[in-house]
Amino acid sequence: RRVSEREGLCDKARRTLGACKSRTRQPPCSAALVLVVCRAVNSPMPVGANRPGKPGGGTKTPRYQDDDRKSDDKESESPVKAKSSKPVAEATQKSTAGKTADEHLQELRIKVRQAGGPDIKTAGWTCKLVSSPKLEGVSSGGSTTALDPCWVEPETSKEFLKRKNVLKHFGVSEPKKVTREEASIASREKFKELNKDDKLPRKIGEVTILQWGKVAADRENFHNTRFIWPIGFKSRWTDDNEQDVMYESEIRDGKDESGAPDDLSKMDGPIFVVCVTRKGEDKPTEFFGKNGKQVWRRATKDDKAKDHTGLRDEEICKLLEGLKHASSCKNYEFIATRPPQLDLDSEVKSTKKKKKKSRSNGDTDQKTKVAGKKRKADSQPKKESQKTKRARDREEKLQDKAKEKEGKEKKQQQAAEDKRLVREEDARKRKEAKELQEIEQKWLSRYPIEDLAIELEIEAMEEAKAAGHHVPAQRAAARAVVDAVERGWGQTAILAAGKEAAECRAAGDTDEEAYEKAIIKGEEVHDANPDASGMVVDVDDKCCIDNEMLCRVGTRVKMLFKTDEIESKFSGFVSKCSEETNNISIDFYDENPEWEVPKNDPDVEILDQGLLRLPPSVQKPQRAPMHNADVLNVARFVDAFKLELKLPKGSLADLQDGLEKPDESEFIALLYQALLIGAMEAAKDANPNAIVPAAWLGDNTLSQHTWPEIARRWITCGPHAELNKKRCPEAVAAATCLSATAGGAKSRPEGHLKLLLCLIEDCFDNGDIHSAVDKRVSIEHDTKGIRDEKVKDFIQEEKLNQDRIKTAREAVVTLDEGDGTDLEPVPDEDTATAINLHESAKNNGEVGAMTESEEASELRVAFDEKRAEWKKRRDGRGGKAADKELNDALRQEKKISEQRTKAETNCAVQLEKFCLRQAPLGMDRHRNKYWWFACDAATLYVEPPMPPSGQAQPDPSSYSFEWRMWCGSEAMKQLADSLCEQGVRECELKAGIQKIIEKLGAEDQQSQSKVRAQLKMKQPDDRLFLLSFQFALQEARNIKEVLTTEQLQTLSHELPDWQKIIETPFDCNQMSKLLQHLEHAVHESLSHTKRTNQREAASRARADAPGAEASAQNGIEGPIAGGSAHDLPEEWQNDNIYVNQRVRRDVLDDKGNHAGKANGTVVGYLPKEKADFKSKQTNLDAALWKVKFDDPDLVGSEDLEEYEVIQAINDYKKMVDSSKSAASLRKGVAPTRPADSSSVDVGGSELVYDEGAIDMAEASNKVTGALWTSAMQREAWRREVESAALSNSVVRVCYSASVLCENVLRVMGKTRNDLTTAPRRTRTERGKRPRDVTDVAMFTSVFQNTVTDGGRRVKRVNYAENGNNDSDDSD
């Protein structure tokens, strides 16, 4: 039945086994059933089946069952047998892997030991082969089933089918396999790190390493699978028993002259040498051998001596693996890649030895047992008495106590000695650590250093390290490099100096000696390569470089023109760029039209935009607008001196709006007026003799309608005119077209910026500016002094408080330790874990929900009670007072720190408030300047530097360095992170940028610059033109109001329709005509004019008038001189080279004071023979020349010597040249091309004068009863009015009308307040602009209700709103 149901019974047995494994105890029949079934199917015993009679396997097998089992054993060949009769078949049975159970056990044993686990064989683990779960059942051929290993734990009989589960059971895992490359890299890094600070000689194990040697990787005889024999390796070993003998071992190359005997010489392999030096011997004895053991046995004369070379020490072998070329030893196996050497059978061997010894001893004991009994009986002593026995016991006890006491004393002495040695060792280590720390601090205290030296310093130190030099030599090289960089040497000389310093320091020289030799070497290299100086920056190829030459709107250029066979370059800027035609338009700031030329025109030169080098890893900045520096400088000046110069209030946006459309900007008009006043007052403050025309500075002549013309005259004709042509040529060019339209609307925004900067430059000599500067300097000095005093006080307080904290902490430590017996309790590991878990739950608010074990709670509570008792004892010793003192000192430290921070912040705010100029944030290693402006807070600008020293400096007019910018705090943060804190410049720059980032916060991470990318010129409208025209008309009405009847009759005679014109003039021509006739009416009515006219009429009656002809030949002429040669006595002659020459002389008033300058003509010559005059200079007879002035009633005539005539002629020529120079600017700065060249003609004569120059020439003349100070000034005014009318310049017409009105009121004895159109209020602000007019259709309808007859806007008053029934809106 069993045979017929073999398959079913087998399955049933397995199911039964599954049920048995889940129970604690099994019924006896289960095991018997499983055993019977397994034997019936001729299969091994399944997993979990317990053998009968084994632990956990049920009850003892009955005798009858045992008999059946024996019979079954004979019939079957089951591998499951009794322990006492294990068949051979089971031992030889193999698994599917082809291994026996013992082999599987040994394999797992090795794996566990390699992973760091215990020896499983020693622990009692076993292995058996069971049927494989993957291939269960029996094959059809009747063969046995497939077998897999099963490992059984001895304690719980737990079985494991997988090797990884056994490793997991021990809490280990299979070690990671290390590749040869990984082992090589790790060994190399470890060797470098160890030799960085700890140099040779070094003791490792029993030997002292003297030299590492070099690895011969290409020679296979110098390494094998387990050892490397470096050539030159040296070590020292000392025998403890022979202190007078010193052994030094060395590995030499057999091919070299090693001094070995003949049998070892010329051997291709290592030769081991041991040098034995004995005390008293001068020369050591050398022993040679093919290997370490051989040579050491010869040296020590001991056949059992070990190899003391040190190469068998695993730690030394690991360090040798870190030598250069060790990784190239192809036969060598790195230690990390080798399987661990496990002596697994040492216990078995030792057990066998013990058994063998016990067996051999057992035979001897058996033989001597009988003889021993006889000897014992023969030698047994007699019994001693009780008294003797007690005495002997007492003596033994006393001896034992004495020995015990002596042993305790020795132990105490030894412990004390050990403690002393430990303390001394600790003290020595602390001293060494302190010395090393001081050396390191001294090294680090040298920072910050020259920024450009940092990279070269690192390079020099790496070279010294690669050469095998120690750390002091490397640092000596670094110091030499820094000094060489500061001397301005090139990179070759710098690195040569560093190399020389490292070599000298490694050779034993001191730091000073090495430094001196390095400097000498560097100077030699530098002198040999003089062209390499200044190349430190150029060779830095790691930096971020921006040197792209861009051609965009605003780019500064120079264009070549040829005038009168002379080629000259004129400055301009690109106003338009066309991608389609590849052309650019160039504007020269003046009124000339734009020139359109190709981008590659050879006559056009793009100015150098600057080479920008930035530190590595810096985000490349954007190109800032071309005008950003000018805009920010103007805004900064306005903000700094708005109180001193009464500048208008406005933002950066107001300034840019005004530059784009100046005719509609009140801010620009007020700014120009305030700067003009400040510049003129500054000229007077700087030079008391400086001359400024009164009309330019008048309250009524300088207004919103006339400021463009006055600004033009000040820049092109003022006292700084020649200087402006050199320092601000763009401003001079822009000034030529400033008065072409109302409000300067024809000038480009770039031109207005240059004009404002030129006026700002002139304002720096202003007295108010100087006073403000002195005041701010004083405040800044006082603020810094207060800050320094406060910092000093804070430092003193911090020092005292630090001493207080130190004393308090020492007191707390003393109380904590007590007398050394009552120390603060420290929790053990379990208690600390329980306390940390409880504190964590308490902080998170999870105390109630935390599940704390009872044991952990008891540990925590017990420790808390123990610590509370200790704290109570500590408080009894004064601990509470000591804690209070320490806490008070710490709070005081925090308070002092907060007060210091607050004081420094307040001082910084004060210093920033009274800052005189905008200083850059700092410079980086390449000396780029970084700028930050409060008005554009979200932008950081960088300005390229000038070319480095050693190279030719370019002409300032040949470059226009463009700024770059970063916008937003995020870009600034990236820039700050890339800066090196060890650099002297970048350290300061980084701190400044970080402060700005703190100010900005997170809001401006991606902000944009407030400076517009392009300032676009907008088309002007007619509103301001109409306002200015009405202003000029009102000035003409004011003049008409003060005219007398005689003057009105003269006006009606000369201009019959003047009344119609004065009511509704049509254009500037009619206005000019009206002003000229008004001037003529007033001028002709004056008494001195009448006398002059009578004299001229009498002179014209004569036949010859040479003075008039001479006057007509000059470019600037007045009326006919007050006489001619016919009016002179007969002795005066006219046949001299100076006769008829125009002159300019200083004249005196009746009191002998300087009254100004006057123009005249030389009309006669008197030889010295007839002159009867002695020169004041030579006291000799001298000739005389008579000069007739153009205003005889005001000045008259004068007799001059020759040197006076020459000086007067030269002064007149200078005035004419100045006037011509100013007049030439009216055509613009850049000359027109030959095809377009033409001259401006006024009244049939070429324009060769400028009224601004005449104003400057006549400004020193005292005001008299005449309308003009001279005839020349009158003629210049009349020509200016005509020229303004022809060019339709309402600004110039307004200025001429204002000047004429002021002069007429002066000669008529009137003031502005005498006019019927005078405003009701007498207190007005200078340059106040009227409010905007919303609708200007015709100027006549607009100004009836909004402007008074005097031309001033007045505020409308609604009396109804003020409670007055009168609703009159008039003035």
Side-chain angles (χ1 to χ4, degrees):
R1 185 175 56 82
R2 288 200 301 266
V3 174
S4 62
E5 298 179 3
R6 184 174 299 174
E7 290 290 334
L9 289 175
C10 188
D11 294 338
K12 184 177 181 180
R14 290 194 182 93
R15 289 195 297 272
T16 306
L17 265 179
C20 293
K21 288 181 67 175
S22 62
R23 298 176 185 173
T24 307
R25 301 187 65 179
Q26 302 173 358
C29 60
S30 301
L33 175 61
V34 172
L35 183 60
V36 171
V37 172
C38 291
R39 287 175 179 173
V41 298
N42 194 18
S43 62
M45 192 169 183
V47 179
N50 295 316
R51 297 180 182 178
K54 289 293 180 179
T59 59
K60 187 177 180 181
T61 307
R63 184 173 296 176
Y64 64 89
Q65 293 181 4
D66 188 68
D67 295 337
D68 294 339
R69 184 191 63 188
K70 290 179 180 179
S71 60
D72 292 338
D73 289 342
K74 295 178 182 180
E75 296 174 357
S76 65
E77 295 181 357
S78 174
V80 182
K81 302 292 184 179
K83 184 176 182 180
S84 58
S85 58
K86 183 176 181 181
V88 180
E90 183 180 5
T92 59
Q93 203 169 18
K94 295 185 179 182
S95 65
T96 54
K99 297 179 182 178
T100 62
D102 293 337
E103 291 174 351
H104 279 293
L105 180 63
Q106 183 69 8
E107 183 182 7
L108 179 62
R109 183 185 180 191
I110 294 172
K111 290 291 183 181
V112 173
R113 286 298 302 274
Q114 287 179 351
D119 188 357
I120 61 174
K121 186 173 182 181
T122 307
W125 282 64
T126 59
C127 180
K128 56 187 177 182
L129 299 179
V130 298
S131 58
S132 175
K134 299 179 181 179
L135 302 171
E136 290 183 353
V138 184
S139 62
S140 60
S143 62
T144 58
T145 59
L147 302 179
D148 280 346
C150 175
W151 296 275
V152 183
E153 185 188 25
E155 294 181 2
T156 61
S157 300
K158 187 176 180 180
E159 298 174 350
F160 300 86
L161 291 175
K162 292 186 179 180
R163 194 164 53 199
K164 65 178 182 179
N165 293 338
V166 178
L167 295 173
K168 187 176 180 182
H169 173 74
F170 288 106
V172 297
S173 59
E174 291 190 18
K176 180 183 177 182
K177 291 184 179 180
V178 180
T179 62
R180 180 185 178 86
E181 290 75 17
E182 293 175 348
S184 174
I185 294 172
S187 300
R188 183 62 180 164
E189 294 295 329
K190 181 179 179 182
F191 181 85
K192 286 183 179 180
E193 183 178 0
L194 186 62
N195 285 271
K196 184 178 181 181
D197 300 321
D198 191 5
K199 298 298 181 180
L200 298 180
R202 183 191 311 146
K203 185 173 179 60
I204 302 176
E206 65 174 1
V207 301
T208 301
I209 305 300
L210 303 178
Q211 186 173 323
W212 290 111
K214 295 183 179 179
V215 177
D218 55 340
R219 302 173 65 182
E220 296 182 359
N221 293 336
F222 283 85
H223 68 274
N224 59 14
T225 57
R226 305 188 66 81
F227 297 100
I228 297 176
W229 299 294
I231 300 175
F233 176 85
K234 291 183 181 180
S235 63
R236 183 191 302 139
W237 177 75
T238 304
D239 192 354
D240 295 338
N241 299 326
E242 295 178 307
Q243 297 292 336
D244 298 335
V245 183
M246 183 176 65
Y247 299 86
E248 287 188 4
S249 62
E250 183 181 3
I251 299 176
R252 299 178 184 174
D253 190 356
K255 289 186 176 182
D256 298 336
E257 291 295 330
S258 60
D262 295 337
D263 58 336
L264 297 177
S265 61
K266 303 302 179 181
M267 182 183 69
D268 186 13
I271 294 179
F272 294 80
V273 183
V274 176
C275 299
V276 182
T277 305
R278 302 182 184 277
K279 188 175 182 181
E281 294 181 358
D282 297 333
K283 187 176 181 181
T285 304
E286 292 185 348
F287 297 87
F288 301 84
K290 294 183 179 180
N291 54 63
K293 280 188 179 181
Q294 185 186 47
V295 71
W296 276 100
R297 288 175 180 177
R298 292 177 181 177
T300 58
K301 298 179 182 180
D302 184 4
D303 294 339
K304 297 182 179 180
K306 297 180 179 180
D307 183 4
H308 298 292
T309 308
L311 296 179
R312 296 184 180 274
D313 191 325
E314 185 174 343
E315 184 177 356
I316 296 177
C317 290
K318 289 181 178 179
L319 291 175
L320 291 177
E321 292 177 352
L323 293 175
K324 279 188 176 180
H325 311 301
S327 60
S328 301
C329 298
K330 58 183 180 179
N331 297 329
Y332 180 73
E333 294 181 4
F334 283 80
I335 296 175
T337 62
R338 302 176 192 172
Q341 298 295 325
L342 304 175
D343 191 7
L344 300 176
D345 297 330
S346 58
E347 275 187 43
V348 178
K349 292 179 181 179
S350 61
T351 305
K352 290 181 178 180
K353 287 182 180 180
K354 288 180 181 179
K355 289 182 179 180
K356 184 177 181 181
K357 187 175 181 181
S358 63
R359 283 198 300 269
S360 62
N361 291 337
D363 297 339
T364 306
D365 292 342
Q366 196 71 20
K367 292 178 182 179
T368 59
K369 189 174 182 181
V370 176
K373 288 183 179 180
K374 288 183 179 181
R375 284 196 301 271
K376 184 177 180 182
D378 295 340
S379 62
Q380 189 170 3
K382 297 180 181 179
K383 290 184 179 180
E384 60 181 349
S385 62
Q386 293 293 330
K387 184 176 180 180
T388 305
K389 187 177 181 179
R390 284 195 297 270
R392 183 172 55 79
D393 292 340
R394 282 196 301 269
E395 178 132 2
E396 288 178 355
K397 288 181 180 180
L398 291 175
Q399 290 177 359
D400 293 340
K401 287 183 179 180
K403 289 180 180 180
E404 185 179 354
K405 184 177 180 181
E406 184 180 358
K408 287 183 178 179
E409 290 177 354
K410 286 183 178 180
K411 287 182 180 179
Q412 290 176 359
Q413 292 176 0
Q414 185 64 32
E417 181 67 16
D418 293 342
K419 288 182 179 180
R420 185 184 66 79
L421 294 176
V422 170
R423 287 196 299 271
E424 289 180 355
E425 183 67 17
D426 292 342
R428 184 184 64 80
K429 290 181 179 180
R430 286 196 299 271
K431 184 178 180 181
E432 292 178 354
K434 187 176 180 181
E435 291 175 353
L436 292 175
Q437 186 178 4
E438 289 176 354
I439 294 173
E440 196 67 23
Q441 287 178 353
K442 185 178 179 181
W443 170 255
L444 295 176
S445 63
R446 57 195 289 272
Y447 295 106
I449 60 175
E450 168 61 37
D451 300 79
L452 291 175
I454 295 176
E455 296 292 336
L456 294 174
E457 177 190 71
I458 296 173
E459 184 177 351
M461 292 181 69
E462 288 179 351
E463 289 183 359
K465 185 178 180 181
H469 299 317
H470 48 30
V471 174
Q474 299 173 20
R475 293 183 174 179
R479 294 188 184 96
V481 164
V482 173
D483 188 86
V485 171
E486 292 176 352
R487 291 171 182 262
W489 295 347
Q491 187 182 25
T492 305
I494 291 170
L495 295 179
K499 183 178 180 180
E500 182 70 16
E503 292 176 354
C504 295
R505 186 67 179 86
D509 294 348
T510 61
D511 289 337
E512 291 75 13
E513 294 172 348
Y515 171 76
E516 292 175 358
K517 294 180 180 179
I519 295 302
I520 294 173
K521 179 68 174 178
E523 287 179 348
E524 293 176 357
V525 178
H526 176 67
D527 294 339
N529 300 278
D531 296 336
S533 60
M535 296 296 291
V536 177
V537 177
D538 295 338
V539 299
D540 187 6
D541 55 354
K542 297 180 181 178
C543 62
C544 175
I545 298 179
D546 180 10
N547 58 351
E548 185 180 0
M549 295 289 288
L550 299 180
C551 184
R552 53 179 180 150
V553 175
T555 299
R556 311 287 169 81
V557 298
K558 279 190 174 182
M559 190 169 179
L560 184 66
F561 288 93
K562 187 174 182 180
T563 56
D564 299 332
E565 302 300 327
I566 299 175
E567 292 184 349
S568 302
K569 290 185 177 181
F570 293 86
S571 298
F573 64 94
V574 176
S575 58
K576 294 179 183 178
C577 289
S578 176
E579 297 295 338
E580 298 178 356
T581 61
N582 200 28
N583 291 344
I584 57 175
S585 297
I586 301 177
D587 195 296
F588 295 95
Y589 300 97
D590 54 18
E591 59 183 352
N592 281 324
E594 299 174 348
W595 294 102
E596 185 175 354
V597 296
K599 282 186 179 180
N600 55 355
D601 192 328
D603 292 342
V604 178
E605 174 191 358
I606 298 178
L607 300 186
D608 186 8
Q609 298 173 0
L611 172 61
L612 184 69
R613 289 183 175 90
L614 295 172
S617 71
V618 175
Q619 179 185 356
K620 190 174 181 180
Q622 308 173 25
R623 287 291 180 109
M626 292 297 304
H627 53 270
N628 74 302
D630 296 342
V631 171
L632 293 172
N633 285 333
V634 173
R636 172 64 184 168
F637 181 85
V638 172
D639 184 63
F641 298 103
K642 56 178 174 289
L643 296 179
E644 289 76 16
L645 296 179
K646 299 179 181 178
L647 301 175
K649 295 181 180 180
S651 62
L652 188 62
D654 295 333
L655 175 61
Q656 295 180 94
D657 291 340
L659 294 173
E660 290 181 342
K661 198 165 181 59
D663 56 333
E664 294 183 0
S665 174
E666 181 181 4
F667 175 79
I668 284 293
L670 296 177
L671 180 59
Y672 264 108
Q673 295 175 55
L675 290 177
L676 283 169
I677 295 170
M680 295 178 194
E681 292 178 351
K684 292 182 179 180
D685 294 337
N687 183 11
N689 297 324
I691 302 172
V692 178
W696 295 1
L697 201 57
D699 291 342
N700 298 293
T701 53
L702 178 58
S703 65
Q704 67 173 19
H705 306 288
T706 61
W707 67 260
E709 174 62 16
I710 296 177
R712 183 196 69 80
R713 296 190 180 198
W714 171 258
I715 292 175
T716 60
C717 307
H720 304 309
E722 294 301 322
L723 182 62
N724 290 339
K725 292 178 183 179
K726 297 178 181 179
R727 69 178 181 181
C728 307
E730 297 89 352
V732 175
T736 60
C737 61
L738 189 60
S739 59
T741 55
K746 193 173 182 180
S747 294
R748 288 190 168 273
E750 293 82 0
H752 279 290
L753 282 173
K754 298 300 181 182
L755 289 168
L756 292 173
L757 290 174
C758 183
L759 293 176
I760 288 173
E761 191 72 22
D762 293 341
C763 287
F764 279 114
D765 289 331
N766 190 283
D768 294 336
I769 295 287
H770 284 188
S771 300
V773 168
D774 294 339
K775 182 179 179 181
R776 294 184 185 187
V777 168
S778 177
I779 294 175
E780 183 179 5
H781 182 268
D782 295 342
T783 304
K784 288 182 177 179
I786 294 172
R787 180 195 62 186
D788 295 340
E789 289 294 329
K790 287 185 177 181
V791 169
K792 188 176 179 181
D793 295 341
F794 283 128
I795 292 174
Q796 187 66 23
E797 290 183 14
E798 288 176 351
K799 186 177 180 181
L800 295 175
N801 196 65
Q802 288 295 331
D803 295 339
R804 179 184 176 188
I805 292 173
K806 183 178 178 181
T807 304
R809 281 180 175 160
E810 291 177 353
V812 170
V813 171
T814 303
L815 289 170
D816 289 346
E817 295 178 354
D819 56 355
T821 59
D822 190 15
L823 299 177
E824 181 180 3
V826 179
D828 55 15
E829 185 177 354
D830 296 337
T831 306
T833 303
I835 292 173
N836 292 335
L837 290 174
H838 183 77
E839 290 294 332
S840 177
K842 185 177 179 181
N843 294 334
N844 297 331
E846 300 174 356
V847 178
M850 185 184 68
T851 58
E852 185 180 20
S853 65
E854 184 178 352
E855 182 181 358
S857 177
E858 291 177 356
L859 290 173
R860 180 176 54 79
V861 172
F863 178 77
D864 291 343
E865 293 175 353
K866 183 178 180 181
R867 195 177 186 285
E869 292 176 359
W870 172 82
K871 194 172 184 306
K872 187 175 181 182
R873 294 192 301 272
R874 179 180 177 276
D875 293 343
R877 298 192 295 265
K880 187 176 291 186
D883 291 341
K884 184 177 182 303
E885 175 65 17
L886 179 60
N887 293 331
D888 292 344
L890 293 175
R891 281 194 294 270
Q892 183 66 17
E893 181 184 28
K894 184 178 179 181
K895 182 179 178 181
I896 294 172
S897 177
E898 292 176 352
Q899 290 176 351
R900 180 174 180 177
T901 303
K902 184 177 179 181
E904 290 178 350
T905 303
N906 293 337
C907 289
V909 172
Q910 288 292 108
L911 292 175
E912 186 177 355
K913 181 179 179 182
F914 294 102
C915 181
L916 294 174
R917 65 185 182 88
Q918 179 70 36
L921 281 178
M923 294 190 293
D924 59 17
R925 68 190 69 175
H926 302 294
R927 288 181 170 82
N928 302 311
K929 289 183 181 179
Y930 289 78
W931 299 89
W932 180 80
F933 299 89
C935 57
D936 192 13
T939 308
L940 181 66
Y941 295 95
V942 57
E943 177 186 5
M946 295 294 291
S949 59
Q951 300 180 10
Q953 292 285 349
D955 183 9
S957 62
S958 300
Y959 62 87
S960 175
F961 289 167
E962 294 187 5
W963 288 17
R964 281 75 163 175
M965 64 181 182
W966 292 275
C967 298
S969 58
E970 187 65 28
M972 295 184 193
K973 186 177 183 302
Q974 293 180 4
L975 173 63
D977 293 340
S978 65
L979 299 176
C980 180
E981 294 181 351
Q982 294 178 340
V984 65
R985 291 186 295 274
E986 291 190 2
C987 177
E988 180 181 357
L989 175 61
K990 186 172 184 177
I993 295 176
Q994 288 174 346
K995 288 182 180 179
I996 294 174
I997 294 173
E998 292 176 0
K999 289 182 180 179
L1000 294 178
E1003 299 178 358
D1004 297 326
Q1005 288 188 358
Q1006 303 294 335
S1007 298
Q1008 298 297 324
S1009 173
K1010 293 183 179 179
V1011 179
R1012 296 169 189 171
Q1014 185 176 353
L1015 294 176
K1016 298 180 180 179
M1017 181 179 177
K1018 299 180 180 179
Q1019 292 296 329
D1021 54 19
D1022 296 336
R1023 184 182 59 83
L1024 187 60
F1025 177 87
L1026 299 176
L1027 291 174
S1028 300
F1029 193 86
Q1030 182 66 17
F1031 173 81
L1033 177 61
Q1034 187 58 51
E1035 291 292 285
R1037 292 173 179 174
N1038 292 339
I1039 296 171
K1040 171 255 177 185
E1041 184 178 346
V1042 299
L1043 294 181
T1044 61
T1045 305
E1046 180 185 358
Q1047 293 168 343
L1048 290 174
Q1049 291 176 356
T1050 304
L1051 179 62
S1052 299
H1053 177 73
E1054 296 290 338
L1055 186 64
D1057 58 344
W1058 69 271
Q1059 293 181 347
K1060 182 180 179 182
I1061 295 175
I1062 205 170
E1063 289 298 329
T1064 55
F1066 291 107
D1067 53 16
C1068 290
N1069 287 325
Q1070 283 195 346
M1071 184 64 68
S1072 171
K1073 186 177 180 180
L1074 176 63
L1075 291 175
Q1076 291 185 72
H1077 283 85
L1078 287 172
E1079 186 273 339
H1080 179 73
V1082 176
H1083 179 75
E1084 294 297 325
S1085 66
L1086 300 179
S1087 58
H1088 73 89
T1089 304
K1090 293 180 180 179
R1091 291 194 299 270
T1092 301
N1093 291 338
Q1094 293 174 0
R1095 191 179 297 108
E1096 289 178 354
S1099 179
R1100 282 193 297 270
R1102 295 181 175 88
D1104 193 12
E1109 295 176 1
S1111 300
Q1113 295 174 1
N1114 293 279
I1116 299 180
E1117 55 180 332
I1120 297 176
S1124 64
H1126 297 283
D1127 297 331
L1128 298 177
E1130 294 181 356
E1131 60 269 17
W1132 290 88
Q1133 304 175 7
N1134 58 2
D1135 55 348
N1136 188 270
I1137 58 174
Y1138 298 136
V1139 175
N1140 295 331
Q1141 293 287 335
R1142 295 285 290 170
V1143 297
R1144 184 169 180 80
R1145 285 281 293 166
D1146 291 332
V1147 295
L1148 305 177
D1149 58 9
D1150 297 338
K1151 297 181 180 180
N1153 298 325
H1154 184 268
K1157 292 181 178 291
N1159 297 335
T1161 306
V1162 179
V1163 296
Y1165 162 69
L1166 187 64
K1168 62 181 179 180
E1169 294 83 6
K1170 300 180 181 181
D1172 191 18
F1173 175 77
K1174 292 187 178 294
S1175 173
K1176 295 180 180 179
Q1177 287 187 337
T1178 62
N1179 201 23
L1180 299 176
D1181 293 340
L1184 295 175
W1185 283 263
K1186 183 174 288 294
V1187 174
K1188 292 278 185 171
F1189 292 99
D1190 297 342
D1191 301 289
D1193 289 334
L1194 300 178
V1195 183
S1197 62
E1198 186 180 10
D1199 295 340
L1200 304 177
E1201 296 184 51
E1202 186 176 9
Y1203 76 91
E1204 293 176 323
V1205 172
I1206 294 174
Q1207 182 64 38
I1209 292 173
N1210 291 334
D1211 290 346
Y1212 185 83
K1213 288 182 178 179
K1214 287 181 181 179
M1215 183 199 68
V1216 173
D1217 292 341
S1218 175
S1219 179
K1220 287 183 178 180
S1221 175
S1224 65
L1225 295 176
R1226 289 290 185 89
K1227 303 177 182 180
V1229 175
T1232 57
R1233 296 194 174 183
D1236 299 331
S1237 61
S1238 61
S1239 60
V1240 179
D1241 186 78
V1242 177
S1245 62
E1246 188 177 357
L1247 179 62
V1248 295
Y1249 78 94
D1250 188 276
E1251 191 191 3
I1254 306 301
D1255 287 346
M1256 288 294 301
E1258 298 293 319
S1260 60
N1261 293 352
K1262 288 187 176 180
V1263 178
T1264 61
L1267 185 62
W1268 308 101
T1269 58
S1270 67
M1272 180 179 64
Q1273 188 181 35
R1274 182 193 178 203
E1275 183 66 18
W1277 179 88
R1278 296 181 68 84
R1279 291 193 177 186
E1280 172 66 15
V1281 174
E1282 293 176 5
S1283 174
L1286 289 176
S1287 60
N1288 198 30
S1289 174
V1290 69
V1291 176
R1292 294 163 62 186
V1293 171
C1294 286
Y1295 176 74
S1296 299
S1298 298
V1299 171
L1300 178 61
C1301 183
E1302 288 292 313
N1303 291 342
V1304 169
L1305 291 175
R1306 174 177 53 80
V1307 298
M1308 300 301 295
K1310 303 289 184 178
T1311 63
R1312 294 270 179 180
N1313 292 330
D1314 296 332
L1315 300 173
T1316 57
T1317 57
R1320 291 181 179 179
R1321 57 186 183 187
T1322 58
R1323 185 178 180 182
T1324 60
E1325 294 184 12
R1326 181 189 296 271
K1328 185 71 175 178
R1329 177 178 174 167
R1331 300 187 180 186
D1332 293 338
V1333 180
T1334 57
D1335 185 16
V1336 183
M1338 293 183 64
F1339 70 91
T1340 52
S1341 61
V1342 171
F1343 291 100
Q1344 287 180 353
N1345 296 327
T1346 59
V1347 183
T1348 63
D1349 293 339
R1352 290 174 177 79
R1353 288 288 304 276
V1354 296
K1355 182 179 180 181
R1356 284 188 162 203
V1357 180
N1358 191 343
Y1359 293 98
E1361 294 179 359
N1362 297 332
N1364 195 332
N1365 294 330
D1366 187 4
S1367 60
D1368 187 10
D1369 294 337
S1370 65
D1371 275 348

